[in-house]
Amino acid sequence: MRIRFILLGLVALTTFRAHAQYVGAFAPPNVGDTPIKISEHVWGVYGFPNIGIVVGAAGVLIVDTGLGPRNGAAVAKIAEKLAPHRKLYLTTTHFHPEHAAGDAGFPKNTILIRNRVQQQELELHGQEMIAMFAGRNDAQKQLLSDVALRKPDVLFDNEYNLDLGGIVAHLLWYGGAHTKGDEMVFVDPDKTLISGDVVQNKVVPNIFGDGGTPASWINVLKKTQALNAQHVLPDHSPASDGSLVALELTFISELRTRALELKQQGLPVEEAGDRLTAEFKQRYSDWPINSVANFVKSIYTE
Ligand SMILES: [Zn+2]
Ligand SMILES: [Zn+2]
């Protein structure tokens, strides 16, 4: 028992350190500058947010832009250095400004691809999110002062298969999770999943505004499991192996089951948030959990 306790403590400490190092590796609100190899054709640049770069013989796909055009330009430069003289493609994991508001910084001939639901969400709520992010501090205000959102060159419904020369990037829309238009990219033959905010590395999930629901998020994760990913690059936490998908599914399913039990018993949502925060801090002691109250609210109002 004692040894088990010490081991759990060690795991918690290691995870905490990994996350602390990860967060310390860049200065928000900017993208990073060092590509890290995730798999044979996929690179990640840790920053706010993490950027995915998928390199084929003929084309390069960049996943997410960074906050504002200056970050977008920095990302395009990193990709050009990593894999010069290739056709450039861009997609975005969801419409929030640090993921999608930097497209004007990319070269003019970049092909912008995203799913239709995300595009609708961007047109509906994009400007209000940009205003909200700009209102947070001067740095973000400056970075967002010259946003000029482009019209996508390609819109797709559920899946778009992009041949980059020797490899295929599957751009996927499986349904609502963190937002309605969450997109993921699965790279063949690497079996690497660029998972946006849908699958994270031990980060409490969050549904923003009228995004998805906890139930739709679970559905998305079940479909994602069938991909059998071996590497996962999330947007706001360090990359790891395919086990992150099952871990995310377990966390959300358990939290949903417990919250619905408490709702059934008539416990007010605030009390349920407090109680389940304490409970999940214990249950997931290697996750840096502040609070699960927001997600409990999403479950109560589902
Ligand atoms: Zn987001
Ligand atoms: Zn995000």
Side-chain angles (χ1 to χ4, degrees), residues 51-54 60-64 75-76 79 88-92 106:
I51 305 292
I53 303 176
V54 186
V60 172
L61 170 68
I62 297 178
V63 184
D64 283 345
V75 168
L88 196 58
Y89 300 88
L90 170 67
T91 195
T92 54
F106 282 72

Side-chain angles (χ1 to χ4, degrees), residues 107-260:
K108 291 263 175 295
N109 56 356
T110 307
I111 310 284
L112 175 61
I113 310 169
R114 67 164 62 96
N115 70 73
R116 223 175 279 279
V117 175
Q118 186 185 135
Q119 181 62 24
Q120 282 166 4
E121 229 177 355
L122 178 74
E123 284 167 17
L124 258 175
H125 298 298
Q127 285 306 330
E128 99 202 27
M129 287 298 291
I130 288 167
M132 193 184 109
F133 270 63
R136 281 183 182 165
N137 58 53
D138 274 352
Q140 296 198 172
K141 192 176 176 181
Q142 288 218 338
L143 287 168
L144 292 167
S145 63
D146 50 354
V147 169
L149 297 174
R150 291 182 177 192
K151 281 256 172 275
D153 301 283
V154 179
L155 284 172
F156 68 93
D157 289 318
N158 299 99
E159 179 163 358
Y160 185 83
N161 299 326
L162 179 63
D163 189 340
L164 294 169
I167 56 165
V168 178
H170 303 273
L171 281 55
L172 305 165
W173 179 76
Y174 280 168
H178 169 66
T179 63
K180 283 185 168 61
D182 284 300
E183 185 178 313
M184 292 185 285
V185 175
F186 186 66
V187 180
D188 247 348
D190 294 34
K191 285 184 169 290
T192 297
L193 180 73
I194 301 171
S195 59
D197 283 42
V198 178
V199 180
Q200 295 263 13
N201 189 342
K202 302 178 178 172
V203 174
V204 174
N206 175 36
I207 295 171
F208 194 85
D210 64 346
T213 65
S216 71
W217 198 324
I218 287 170
N219 274 337
V220 168
L221 289 170
K222 282 181 179 164
K223 286 186 210 165
T224 309
Q225 261 192 323
L227 294 169
N228 203 9
Q230 280 175 15
H231 316 273
V232 179
L233 173 65
D235 262 1
H236 300 292
S237 47
S240 188
D241 61 24
S243 67
L244 289 187
V245 179
L247 187 62
E248 188 79 53
L249 178 58
T250 306
F251 185 92
I252 295 180
S253 302
E254 286 185 8
L255 187 55
R256 184 166 177 272
T257 303
R258 283 294 292 126
L260 290 178

Side-chain angles (χ1 to χ4, degrees), residues 227-302:
L227 294 169
N228 203 9
Q230 280 175 15
H231 316 273
V232 179
L233 173 65
D235 262 1
H236 300 292
S237 47
S240 188
D241 61 24
S243 67
L244 289 187
V245 179
L247 187 62
E248 188 79 53
L249 178 58
T250 306
F251 185 92
I252 295 180
S253 302
E254 286 185 8
L255 187 55
R256 184 166 177 272
T257 303
R258 283 294 292 126
L260 290 178
E261 275 169 17
L262 297 179
K263 190 185 176 188
Q264 189 95 35
Q265 291 164 20
L267 200 73
V269 63
E270 288 77 20
E271 282 175 48
D274 288 347
R275 195 188 291 186
L276 292 177
T277 294
E279 199 176 303
F280 276 71
K281 270 184 180 179
Q282 279 215 322
R283 241 197 243 202
Y284 290 85
S285 57
D286 61 331
W287 288 42
I289 295 178
N290 265 328
S291 169
V292 299
N294 273 335
F295 206 77
V296 168
K297 232 175 250 169
S298 300
I299 297 165
Y300 262 59
T301 54
E302 190 174 273

